[in-house]
Amino acid sequence: MNEATLRPYLDAHLDALTRGDVDAISEDFIAELRPHVPAVVASLPTPILSAENISVEIDPEKAVVFNRLTAPNNTVITMRSEWIVSDGRPRILNGAPVEN
């Protein structure tokens, strides 16, 4: 995996988060995790006013991505996710909030 391959999917994922598009967000996860995505999205503060990428660390097998989500009342959550190539495109293998 390289950042040029990942970037369009990552940018689309961030856009889907700000739109609250659960179907699009779900497609970014590996198939085994997709049934759980609606509950995960529901646990996030809403609406997400902005979603921005903080960093991408690439190795041959995966990418580790840190994103910052901002919600009303200056609520900020940093999310860490691991992306792998699955079914022909980058997808999220796992993700969780980062403890501040």
Side-chain angles (χ1 to χ4, degrees):
M1 167 144 8
N2 61 52
E3 190 165 351
T5 301
L6 173 64
R7 182 56 59 182
Y9 295 97
L10 175 56
D11 290 345
H13 180 72
L14 295 171
D15 184 55
L17 284 165
T18 60
R19 291 191 328 268
D21 186 342
V22 176
D23 290 336
I25 294 166
S26 295
E27 279 300 308
D28 292 330
F29 284 78
I30 62 170
E32 297 84 354
L33 295 180
R34 287 184 201 140
H36 307 287
V37 172
V40 172
V41 171
S43 73
L44 297 173
T46 57
I48 294 177
L49 303 174
S50 68
E52 63 180 316
N53 177 245
I54 301 169
S55 70
V56 175
E57 302 164 8
I58 301 282
D59 73 34
E61 300 299 317
K62 66 182 176 188
V64 177
V65 174
F66 289 87
N67 295 323
R68 180 178 299 124
L69 310 180
T70 304
N73 300 319
N74 294 320
T75 301
V76 177
I77 298 171
T78 301
M79 298 292 292
R80 178 190 183 276
S81 56
E82 292 183 3
W83 293 64
I84 61 169
V85 175
S86 175
D87 297 325
R89 59 159 276 199
R91 294 187 193 274
I92 299 169
L93 174 66
N94 64 55
V98 175
E99 297 294 325
N100 292 329

Coordinates of all heavy atoms in Angstrom, one line a residue:
M1 N 0.9 -1.2 0.0 CA 0.0 0.0 0.0 C 0.9 1.2 0.0 O 1.9 1.2 0.6 CB -0.9 0.0 1.2 CG -1.6 1.3 1.4 SD -3.2 1.5 2.0 CE -3.8 -0.1 2.5
N2 N 0.4 2.3 -0.7 CA 1.1 3.5 -0.6 C 0.1 4.6 -0.5 O -1.1 4.4 -0.6 CB 2.0 3.8 -1.9 CG 1.2 3.8 -3.2 OD1 0.2 4.5 -3.3 ND2 1.6 2.9 -4.1
E3 N 0.6 5.8 -0.1 CA -0.3 6.9 0.2 C -1.1 7.4 -1.0 O -2.3 7.7 -0.9 CB 0.4 8.1 0.8 CG -0.6 9.2 1.3 CD 0.0 10.2 2.2 OE1 1.2 10.0 2.6 OE2 -0.7 11.1 2.6
A4 N -0.6 7.3 -2.2 CA -1.3 7.6 -3.4 C -2.5 6.7 -3.7 O -3.6 7.2 -4.1 CB -0.4 7.6 -4.7
T5 N -2.4 5.5 -3.3 CA -3.5 4.5 -3.4 C -4.5 4.8 -2.3 O -5.7 4.8 -2.6 CB -3.0 3.1 -3.3 OG1 -2.0 2.8 -4.3 CG2 -4.1 2.1 -3.4
L6 N -4.1 5.1 -1.1 CA -5.0 5.3 0.0 C -5.7 6.6 -0.1 O -6.9 6.7 0.3 CB -4.1 5.2 1.3 CG -4.9 5.6 2.6 CD1 -6.0 4.6 2.9 CD2 -3.9 5.6 3.8
R7 N -5.0 7.7 -0.5 CA -5.6 9.0 -0.3 C -7.0 9.2 -0.8 O -7.8 9.8 -0.1 CB -4.6 10.0 -0.9 CG -5.0 11.5 -0.8 CD -5.2 12.0 0.6 NE -4.1 11.8 1.5 CZ -4.1 12.2 2.8 NH1 -5.2 12.6 3.3 NH2 -3.0 12.0 3.5
P8 N -7.3 8.8 -2.0 CA -8.7 9.1 -2.5 C -9.8 8.4 -1.6 O -10.8 9.0 -1.3 CB -8.8 8.5 -3.9 CG -7.4 8.2 -4.3 CD -6.6 8.2 -3.1
Y9 N -9.5 7.2 -1.1 CA -10.4 6.5 -0.2 C -10.5 7.2 1.2 O -11.6 7.3 1.8 CB -10.0 5.0 -0.1 CG -10.1 4.3 -1.4 CD1 -9.0 4.1 -2.2 CD2 -11.4 3.8 -1.8 CE1 -9.2 3.5 -3.4 CE2 -11.5 3.2 -3.0 CZ -10.4 3.0 -3.8 OH -10.5 2.4 -5.0
L10 N -9.3 7.6 1.7 CA -9.3 8.3 3.0 C -10.1 9.6 2.9 O -10.9 9.9 3.7 CB -7.9 8.5 3.4 CG -7.6 9.4 4.6 CD1 -8.4 8.8 5.8 CD2 -6.1 9.5 4.9
D11 N -9.8 10.4 1.8 CA -10.6 11.7 1.6 C -12.1 11.4 1.5 O -12.9 12.2 2.1 CB -10.0 12.4 0.4 CG -8.6 13.0 0.6 OD1 -8.1 13.0 1.8 OD2 -8.0 13.3 -0.4
A12 N -12.5 10.4 0.8 CA -13.9 10.1 0.7 C -14.5 9.7 2.0 O -15.6 10.0 2.3 CB -14.1 9.0 -0.4
H13 N -13.7 8.9 2.8 CA -14.1 8.5 4.1 C -14.4 9.7 5.0 O -15.4 9.8 5.7 CB -13.1 7.6 4.7 CG -13.4 7.1 6.1 ND1 -14.4 6.1 6.3 CD2 -12.9 7.4 7.3 CE1 -14.5 5.9 7.6 NE2 -13.6 6.6 8.2
L14 N -13.5 10.7 5.0 CA -13.6 11.9 5.8 C -14.8 12.7 5.4 O -15.6 13.2 6.2 CB -12.3 12.7 5.7 CG -11.1 12.1 6.3 CD1 -9.9 13.0 6.0 CD2 -11.2 11.9 7.8
D15 N -15.1 12.8 4.1 CA -16.2 13.5 3.6 C -17.5 12.7 4.0 O -18.5 13.4 4.5 CB -16.2 13.5 2.1 CG -17.3 14.3 1.5 OD1 -17.5 15.5 1.9 OD2 -18.0 13.8 0.6
A16 N -17.5 11.4 4.0 CA -18.7 10.7 4.4 C -19.0 10.9 5.9 O -20.2 10.9 6.3 CB -18.5 9.2 4.1
L17 N -17.9 11.0 6.7 CA -18.1 11.2 8.1 C -18.8 12.6 8.3 O -19.8 12.6 9.2 CB -16.8 11.2 8.9 CG -16.2 9.8 9.1 CD1 -14.7 9.9 9.5 CD2 -17.0 9.1 10.2
T18 N -18.4 13.6 7.6 CA -19.1 14.9 7.8 C -20.5 14.9 7.3 O -21.3 15.7 7.8 CB -18.3 16.1 7.2 OG1 -18.1 15.8 5.8 CG2 -16.9 16.2 7.8
R19 N -20.8 14.1 6.3 CA -22.2 14.0 5.8 C -23.0 13.0 6.6 O -24.3 13.0 6.5 CB -22.2 13.5 4.3 CG -21.6 14.4 3.3 CD -21.9 13.9 1.9 NE -21.9 12.5 1.7 CZ -20.9 11.7 1.4 NH1 -19.7 12.2 1.2 NH2 -21.0 10.4 1.2
G20 N -22.4 12.2 7.5 CA -23.2 11.2 8.2 C -23.7 10.1 7.4 O -24.7 9.5 7.7
D21 N -23.0 9.8 6.3 CA -23.4 8.8 5.3 C -22.9 7.4 5.8 O -21.8 7.0 5.4 CB -22.8 9.1 4.0 CG -23.3 8.2 2.8 OD1 -23.7 7.1 3.1 OD2 -23.1 8.6 1.7
V22 N -23.7 6.7 6.6 CA -23.3 5.5 7.2 C -23.1 4.4 6.1 O -22.2 3.6 6.3 CB -24.4 5.0 8.2 CG1 -24.1 3.6 8.7 CG2 -24.6 6.0 9.3
D23 N -23.8 4.4 5.0 CA -23.6 3.4 3.9 C -22.2 3.6 3.4 O -21.4 2.6 3.2 CB -24.6 3.5 2.8 CG -26.0 3.1 3.3 OD1 -26.1 2.3 4.3 OD2 -27.0 3.5 2.7
A24 N -21.8 4.8 3.1 CA -20.4 5.1 2.5 C -19.4 4.7 3.5 O -18.3 4.2 3.2 CB -20.3 6.5 2.0
I25 N -19.6 5.1 4.8 CA -18.6 4.8 5.8 C -18.5 3.3 5.9 O -17.3 2.8 6.0 CB -19.1 5.4 7.2 CG1 -19.0 7.0 7.1 CG2 -18.2 5.0 8.3 CD1 -19.8 7.7 8.2
S26 N -19.6 2.6 5.9 CA -19.5 1.1 6.0 C -18.7 0.5 4.9 O -18.0 -0.5 5.2 CB -20.9 0.5 6.0 OG -21.6 0.9 7.2
E27 N -18.8 1.0 3.7 CA -18.1 0.4 2.6 C -16.5 0.5 2.8 O -15.8 -0.2 2.1 CB -18.5 1.1 1.3 CG -19.7 0.5 0.7 CD -19.6 -1.0 0.4 OE1 -18.7 -1.4 -0.3 OE2 -20.5 -1.7 0.9
D28 N -16.1 1.5 3.6 CA -14.7 1.7 3.9 C -14.1 0.6 4.8 O -12.9 0.6 5.0 CB -14.4 3.1 4.4 CG -14.7 4.1 3.3 OD1 -14.5 3.8 2.1 OD2 -15.1 5.3 3.7
F29 N -14.9 -0.2 5.4 CA -14.5 -1.2 6.4 C -14.4 -2.6 5.7 O -15.1 -2.8 4.7 CB -15.4 -1.3 7.6 CG -15.2 -0.2 8.6 CD1 -15.8 1.1 8.3 CD2 -14.5 -0.4 9.7 CE1 -15.6 2.1 9.2 CE2 -14.3 0.6 10.6 CZ -14.9 1.9 10.4
I30 N -13.6 -3.5 6.2 CA -13.5 -4.8 5.7 C -14.9 -5.4 5.9 O -15.7 -5.0 6.8 CB -12.4 -5.7 6.4 CG1 -12.6 -5.8 7.9 CG2 -11.0 -5.1 6.0 CD1 -11.7 -6.8 8.5
A31 N -15.2 -6.4 5.1 CA -16.6 -7.0 5.1 C -17.0 -7.5 6.5 O -18.2 -7.3 6.9 CB -16.7 -8.1 4.1
E32 N -16.1 -8.1 7.3 CA -16.4 -8.7 8.6 C -16.9 -7.6 9.6 O -17.6 -7.9 10.5 CB -15.3 -9.4 9.2 CG -14.8 -10.6 8.4 CD -13.9 -10.3 7.2 OE1 -13.6 -9.1 6.9 OE2 -13.4 -11.3 6.5
L33 N -16.4 -6.4 9.4 CA -16.8 -5.3 10.3 C -18.0 -4.5 9.9 O -18.6 -3.8 10.8 CB -15.6 -4.3 10.5 CG -14.3 -5.0 11.1 CD1 -13.3 -3.9 11.3 CD2 -14.7 -5.5 12.5
R34 N -18.4 -4.6 8.7 CA -19.5 -3.7 8.2 C -20.8 -3.8 9.0 O -21.4 -2.8 9.3 CB -19.8 -4.0 6.7 CG -18.7 -3.5 5.9 CD -19.0 -3.7 4.4 NE -17.8 -3.6 3.7 CZ -17.4 -4.3 2.7 NH1 -18.3 -5.2 2.2 NH2 -16.2 -4.2 2.1
P35 N -21.2 -5.0 9.5 CA -22.4 -5.0 10.3 C -22.3 -4.2 11.6 O -23.4 -3.8 12.2 CB -22.6 -6.5 10.7 CG -21.9 -7.2 9.6 CD -20.7 -6.3 9.3
H36 N -21.1 -3.9 12.1 CA -20.9 -3.2 13.3 C -20.8 -1.7 13.2 O -20.9 -0.9 14.1 CB -19.7 -3.7 14.1 CG -19.8 -5.2 14.3 ND1 -20.6 -5.8 15.2 CD2 -19.1 -6.2 13.6 CE1 -20.4 -7.1 15.1 NE2 -19.5 -7.4 14.2
V37 N -20.6 -1.2 11.9 CA -20.3 0.2 11.7 C -21.5 1.1 12.1 O -21.2 2.1 12.7 CB -19.9 0.4 10.2 CG1 -19.9 1.9 9.9 CG2 -18.6 -0.3 9.9
P38 N -22.8 0.8 11.8 CA -23.8 1.7 12.3 C -23.8 2.0 13.8 O -24.0 3.1 14.2 CB -25.1 1.0 11.9 CG -24.7 0.2 10.7 CD -23.3 -0.3 11.0
A39 N -23.5 1.0 14.6 CA -23.4 1.2 16.1 C -22.2 2.1 16.4 O -22.3 2.9 17.3 CB -23.3 -0.1 16.8
V40 N -21.1 1.9 15.7 CA -19.9 2.7 16.0 C -20.2 4.2 15.6 O -19.9 5.1 16.4 CB -18.7 2.2 15.2 CG1 -17.5 3.1 15.3 CG2 -18.3 0.8 15.7
V41 N -20.8 4.4 14.4 CA -21.1 5.7 14.0 C -22.1 6.4 15.0 O -22.0 7.6 15.3 CB -21.6 5.7 12.6 CG1 -22.2 7.1 12.2 CG2 -20.6 5.3 11.6
A42 N -23.1 5.6 15.5 CA -24.0 6.2 16.4 C -23.4 6.6 17.7 O -23.9 7.4 18.4 CB -25.1 5.1 16.7
S43 N -22.2 6.0 18.1 CA -21.6 6.3 19.3 C -20.8 7.6 19.2 O -20.3 8.2 20.2 CB -20.6 5.2 19.7 OG -19.5 5.1 18.9
L44 N -20.6 8.1 18.0 CA -19.8 9.4 17.8 C -20.7 10.6 18.1 O -22.0 10.5 17.8 CB -19.3 9.4 16.4 CG -18.3 8.4 16.0 CD1 -18.0 8.5 14.5 CD2 -17.0 8.5 16.8
P45 N -20.2 11.7 18.5 CA -21.0 12.9 18.6 C -21.5 13.3 17.3 O -20.8 13.2 16.3 CB -20.1 13.9 19.3 CG -18.7 13.4 19.1 CD -18.8 11.9 18.9
T46 N -22.7 13.9 17.2 CA -23.2 14.4 16.0 C -23.7 15.8 16.1 O -24.1 16.2 17.2 CB -24.4 13.5 15.5 OG1 -25.4 13.4 16.5 CG2 -23.9 12.1 15.1
P47 N -23.7 16.6 15.1 CA -23.1 16.2 13.8 C -21.6 16.3 13.9 O -21.1 17.1 14.7 CB -23.7 17.2 12.8 CG -23.9 18.4 13.7 CD -24.3 17.9 15.0
I48 N -20.9 15.7 13.0 CA -19.5 15.9 12.8 C -19.3 17.1 11.9 O -19.7 17.1 10.8 CB -18.7 14.6 12.3 CG1 -18.8 13.5 13.3 CG2 -17.3 15.0 12.0 CD1 -18.3 12.2 12.9
L49 N -18.8 18.2 12.5 CA -18.6 19.4 11.7 C -17.5 19.4 10.8 O -17.5 20.0 9.7 CB -18.5 20.6 12.7 CG -19.7 20.7 13.7 CD1 -19.4 21.8 14.7 CD2 -21.0 21.0 13.0
S50 N -16.4 18.7 11.2 CA -15.2 18.6 10.3 C -14.5 17.3 10.6 O -14.5 16.8 11.8 CB -14.3 19.8 10.5 OG -13.6 19.8 11.7
A51 N -13.8 16.8 9.6 CA -13.0 15.6 9.8 C -11.8 15.8 8.9 O -11.9 16.1 7.7 CB -13.8 14.4 9.2
E52 N -10.6 15.8 9.6 CA -9.4 16.0 8.9 C -8.4 15.0 9.2 O -8.3 14.4 10.3 CB -8.9 17.4 9.2 CG -8.5 17.6 10.7 CD -7.9 19.0 11.0 OE1 -7.1 19.5 10.3 OE2 -8.3 19.5 12.1
N53 N -7.5 14.7 8.3 CA -6.5 13.7 8.4 C -5.3 14.4 9.1 O -4.9 15.5 8.7 CB -6.0 13.2 7.1 CG -4.8 12.2 7.2 OD1 -3.8 12.5 6.7 ND2 -5.0 11.1 7.9
I54 N -4.8 13.8 10.1 CA -3.6 14.3 10.9 C -2.3 13.7 10.4 O -1.3 14.4 10.2 CB -3.7 14.1 12.4 CG1 -5.0 14.7 12.9 CG2 -2.5 14.6 13.1 CD1 -5.3 14.3 14.3
S55 N -2.4 12.4 10.2 CA -1.1 11.7 9.7 C -1.5 10.4 9.1 O -2.5 9.8 9.4 CB -0.1 11.5 10.8 OG -0.6 10.6 11.8
V56 N -0.6 9.9 8.2 CA -0.6 8.6 7.6 C 0.8 8.0 7.7 O 1.7 8.6 7.3 CB -1.0 8.7 6.1 CG1 -1.0 7.4 5.4 CG2 -2.4 9.4 6.0
E57 N 0.8 6.8 8.3 CA 2.1 6.1 8.3 C 1.9 4.8 7.5 O 1.1 4.0 7.8 CB 2.4 5.7 9.8 CG 2.5 6.9 10.7 CD 2.5 6.6 12.2 OE1 2.5 5.4 12.5 OE2 2.4 7.5 13.0
I58 N 2.7 4.7 6.5 CA 2.6 3.6 5.5 C 3.7 2.6 5.7 O 4.9 2.9 5.9 CB 2.7 4.1 4.1 CG1 1.7 5.2 3.8 CG2 2.7 3.0 3.1 CD1 0.3 4.7 3.5
D59 N 3.3 1.3 5.7 CA 4.3 0.2 5.6 C 3.8 -0.7 4.5 O 2.7 -0.5 4.0 CB 4.6 -0.5 6.9 CG 3.5 -1.4 7.5 OD1 2.8 -2.0 6.7 OD2 3.4 -1.5 8.7
P60 N 4.5 -1.7 4.1 CA 4.1 -2.5 3.0 C 2.8 -3.2 3.2 O 2.0 -3.5 2.2 CB 5.2 -3.5 2.8 CG 6.4 -2.9 3.4 CD 5.9 -2.1 4.5
E61 N 2.4 -3.6 4.4 CA 1.2 -4.3 4.6 C 0.0 -3.5 5.0 O -1.2 -3.9 4.8 CB 1.4 -5.3 5.8 CG 2.6 -6.3 5.4 CD 2.2 -7.2 4.2 OE1 1.1 -7.6 4.1 OE2 3.1 -7.3 3.4
K62 N 0.2 -2.3 5.6 CA -1.0 -1.5 6.1 C -0.6 -0.1 6.2 O 0.6 0.3 6.0 CB -1.4 -2.0 7.4 CG -0.4 -1.8 8.5 CD -0.8 -2.3 9.9 CE 0.3 -2.2 10.9 NZ 0.0 -2.8 12.1
A63 N -1.6 0.7 6.4 CA -1.4 2.2 6.7 C -2.1 2.4 8.0 O -3.2 2.0 8.3 CB -2.1 3.0 5.6
V64 N -1.4 3.2 8.9 CA -1.9 3.6 10.2 C -2.3 5.1 10.0 O -1.5 5.9 9.6 CB -0.9 3.4 11.3 CG1 -1.5 4.0 12.6 CG2 -0.6 2.0 11.5
V65 N -3.6 5.4 10.2 CA -4.1 6.7 9.9 C -4.7 7.3 11.2 O -5.3 6.7 12.0 CB -5.3 6.6 8.9 CG1 -6.0 7.9 8.6 CG2 -4.7 6.0 7.6
F66 N -4.4 8.6 11.4 CA -4.9 9.4 12.5 C -5.8 10.5 11.9 O -5.3 11.3 11.1 CB -3.8 9.9 13.4 CG -3.1 8.9 14.2 CD1 -2.0 8.2 13.7 CD2 -3.5 8.6 15.5 CE1 -1.4 7.2 14.4 CE2 -2.9 7.6 16.2 CZ -1.8 6.9 15.7
N67 N -7.0 10.6 12.3 CA -8.0 11.6 11.9 C -8.5 12.3 13.1 O -8.7 11.8 14.2 CB -9.1 11.0 11.1 CG -8.7 10.4 9.8 OD1 -7.8 10.8 9.2 ND2 -9.3 9.3 9.5
R68 N -8.8 13.6 12.9 CA -9.4 14.4 13.9 C -10.8 14.8 13.5 O -11.1 15.3 12.5 CB -8.6 15.7 14.1 CG -9.2 16.6 15.2 CD -8.4 17.9 15.4 NE -7.0 17.6 15.9 CZ -5.9 18.0 15.3 NH1 -6.0 18.7 14.2 NH2 -4.7 17.6 15.7
L69 N -11.8 14.4 14.4 CA -13.2 14.7 14.2 C -13.6 15.8 15.1 O -13.3 15.7 16.3 CB -14.0 13.4 14.4 CG -13.6 12.2 13.7 CD1 -14.5 11.0 14.1 CD2 -13.5 12.4 12.2
T70 N -14.3 16.8 14.6 CA -14.8 17.9 15.5 C -16.3 18.0 15.4 O -16.9 17.9 14.3 CB -14.2 19.3 15.0 OG1 -12.7 19.1 15.0 CG2 -14.6 20.4 15.9
A71 N -16.9 18.0 16.6 CA -18.3 18.1 16.7 C -18.7 19.4 17.5 O -17.8 20.1 17.9 CB -18.8 16.9 17.5
P72 N -20.0 19.7 17.7 CA -20.4 20.9 18.4 C -19.7 21.0 19.8 O -19.3 20.0 20.4 CB -21.9 20.8 18.5 CG -22.3 20.0 17.3 CD -21.1 19.0 17.2
N73 N -19.7 22.2 20.3 CA -19.2 22.5 21.6 C -17.7 22.1 21.7 O -17.2 21.8 22.8 CB -19.9 21.8 22.7 CG -21.4 22.2 22.8 OD1 -21.7 23.3 22.6 ND2 -22.3 21.2 22.9
N74 N -17.0 22.3 20.6 CA -15.5 22.0 20.5 C -15.2 20.6 21.0 O -14.1 20.4 21.5 CB -14.8 23.1 21.3 CG -14.9 24.4 20.7 OD1 -14.9 24.6 19.5 ND2 -15.1 25.5 21.6
T75 N -16.1 19.7 20.8 CA -15.7 18.3 21.1 C -14.8 17.8 19.9 O -15.1 17.9 18.8 CB -17.0 17.4 21.1 OG1 -17.9 17.9 22.1 CG2 -16.7 16.0 21.4
V76 N -13.6 17.3 20.3 CA -12.7 16.8 19.4 C -12.3 15.4 19.7 O -12.0 15.1 20.9 CB -11.4 17.7 19.4 CG1 -10.4 17.1 18.4 CG2 -11.8 19.1 19.0
I77 N -12.3 14.5 18.7 CA -12.0 13.1 18.9 C -10.9 12.8 17.9 O -11.0 13.1 16.7 CB -13.2 12.2 18.7 CG1 -14.2 12.4 19.7 CG2 -12.7 10.7 18.8 CD1 -15.5 11.7 19.4
T78 N -9.8 12.2 18.4 CA -8.8 11.7 17.4 C -9.0 10.2 17.3 O -9.1 9.5 18.3 CB -7.4 12.0 18.0 OG1 -7.2 13.4 18.2 CG2 -6.3 11.4 17.0
M79 N -9.1 9.8 16.0 CA -9.3 8.4 15.7 C -8.1 7.8 15.1 O -7.5 8.4 14.2 CB -10.5 8.2 14.7 CG -11.8 8.7 15.2 SD -12.5 7.7 16.6 CE -12.9 6.2 15.8
R80 N -7.7 6.6 15.5 CA -6.6 5.8 14.9 C -7.2 4.6 14.2 O -8.1 3.9 14.7 CB -5.7 5.3 16.0 CG -4.5 4.5 15.4 CD -3.7 3.8 16.5 NE -2.6 3.1 16.0 CZ -2.6 1.8 15.5 NH1 -3.8 1.2 15.5 NH2 -1.5 1.3 15.1
S81 N -6.9 4.4 12.9 CA -7.4 3.3 12.2 C -6.2 2.7 11.4 O -5.2 3.3 11.0 CB -8.5 3.7 11.2 OG -8.1 4.7 10.3
E82 N -6.4 1.4 11.1 CA -5.4 0.6 10.3 C -6.2 0.2 9.0 O -7.3 -0.3 9.1 CB -4.9 -0.6 11.0 CG -4.0 -0.3 12.2 CD -3.5 -1.5 12.8 OE1 -3.7 -2.7 12.4 OE2 -2.8 -1.4 13.9
W83 N -5.6 0.6 7.9 CA -6.1 0.3 6.6 C -5.3 -0.8 5.9 O -4.0 -0.7 6.0 CB -6.1 1.5 5.7 CG -7.1 2.6 6.1 CD1 -7.0 3.4 7.3 CD2 -8.2 3.2 5.4 NE1 -8.0 4.3 7.4 CE2 -8.7 4.2 6.2 CE3 -8.7 2.9 4.2 CZ2 -9.8 4.9 5.8 CZ3 -9.8 3.6 3.8 CH2 -10.4 4.6 4.6
I84 N -5.9 -1.7 5.2 CA -5.3 -2.7 4.4 C -5.9 -2.8 3.1 O -7.0 -2.2 2.9 CB -5.3 -4.1 5.1 CG1 -6.8 -4.6 5.3 CG2 -4.5 -4.1 6.4 CD1 -6.9 -6.1 5.6
V85 N -5.3 -3.4 2.1 CA -6.0 -3.7 0.8 C -6.8 -4.9 1.0 O -6.3 -6.0 1.4 CB -5.0 -3.8 -0.3 CG1 -5.7 -4.2 -1.6 CG2 -4.2 -2.5 -0.5
S86 N -8.1 -4.8 0.8 CA -9.1 -5.9 0.9 C -10.1 -5.7 -0.2 O -10.6 -4.6 -0.5 CB -9.8 -5.8 2.2 OG -10.8 -6.8 2.4
D87 N -10.4 -6.8 -0.9 CA -11.4 -6.7 -2.1 C -11.0 -5.7 -3.1 O -11.8 -5.0 -3.6 CB -12.8 -6.5 -1.6 CG -13.3 -7.6 -0.7 OD1 -12.9 -8.8 -1.0 OD2 -14.1 -7.4 0.2
G88 N -9.7 -5.6 -3.3 CA -9.2 -4.7 -4.4 C -9.0 -3.2 -4.1 O -8.7 -2.4 -5.0
R89 N -9.2 -2.8 -2.8 CA -9.1 -1.4 -2.5 C -8.7 -1.2 -1.0 O -8.9 -2.2 -0.2 CB -10.4 -0.7 -2.8 CG -11.6 -1.2 -2.0 CD -12.7 -0.2 -2.0 NE -12.5 0.7 -0.8 CZ -13.4 1.4 -0.3 NH1 -14.6 1.4 -0.7 NH2 -13.1 2.2 0.7
P90 N -8.2 -0.1 -0.6 CA -8.0 0.2 0.8 C -9.3 0.1 1.6 O -10.3 0.7 1.2 CB -7.3 1.5 0.9 CG -6.8 1.7 -0.5 CD -7.7 1.0 -1.4
R91 N -9.2 -0.6 2.8 CA -10.3 -0.6 3.7 C -9.8 -0.7 5.1 O -8.7 -1.1 5.4 CB -11.2 -1.9 3.4 CG -11.9 -1.9 2.1 CD -12.8 -3.1 2.0 NE -13.2 -3.3 0.6 CZ -14.2 -2.7 0.0 NH1 -15.0 -1.8 0.7 NH2 -14.5 -2.9 -1.3
I92 N -10.7 -0.3 6.0 CA -10.3 -0.2 7.5 C -10.4 -1.6 8.1 O -11.5 -2.2 8.0 CB -11.2 0.8 8.2 CG1 -11.1 2.2 7.6 CG2 -10.9 0.8 9.7 CD1 -12.1 3.2 8.0
L93 N -9.3 -2.0 8.7 CA -9.2 -3.3 9.4 C -9.7 -3.1 10.8 O -10.3 -4.0 11.4 CB -7.8 -3.8 9.3 CG -7.4 -5.0 10.1 CD1 -8.2 -6.2 9.5 CD2 -5.9 -5.3 10.1
N94 N -9.3 -2.0 11.4 CA -9.8 -1.7 12.8 C -9.6 -0.2 13.1 O -8.9 0.5 12.3 CB -9.0 -2.5 13.8 CG -7.5 -2.3 13.9 OD1 -7.1 -1.1 14.0 ND2 -6.7 -3.3 13.7
G95 N -10.2 0.3 14.1 CA -10.1 1.7 14.4 C -10.7 1.9 15.8 O -11.5 1.2 16.3
A96 N -10.2 3.0 16.4 CA -10.6 3.3 17.8 C -10.2 4.7 18.1 O -9.3 5.2 17.6 CB -10.0 2.3 18.8
P97 N -10.9 5.3 19.1 CA -10.5 6.7 19.5 C -9.2 6.6 20.2 O -8.9 5.5 20.9 CB -11.6 7.1 20.5 CG -12.7 6.1 20.3 CD -12.2 4.9 19.7
V98 N -8.4 7.6 20.1 CA -7.1 7.7 20.9 C -7.4 8.4 22.2 O -8.0 9.5 22.2 CB -6.1 8.5 20.0 CG1 -4.8 8.7 20.8 CG2 -5.8 7.8 18.7
E99 N -6.9 7.8 23.2 CA -7.0 8.5 24.6 C -6.1 9.7 24.6 O -5.0 9.6 24.2 CB -6.7 7.5 25.7 CG -7.6 6.3 25.8 CD -9.0 6.6 26.2 OE1 -9.2 7.6 27.0 OE2 -9.9 6.0 25.7
N100 N -6.7 10.8 25.0 CA -5.9 12.1 25.1 C -5.3 12.2 26.4 O -5.7 11.9 27.4 CB -6.8 13.3 24.8 CG -7.2 13.3 23.3 OD1 -6.5 12.8 22.5 ND2 -8.4 13.8 23.1

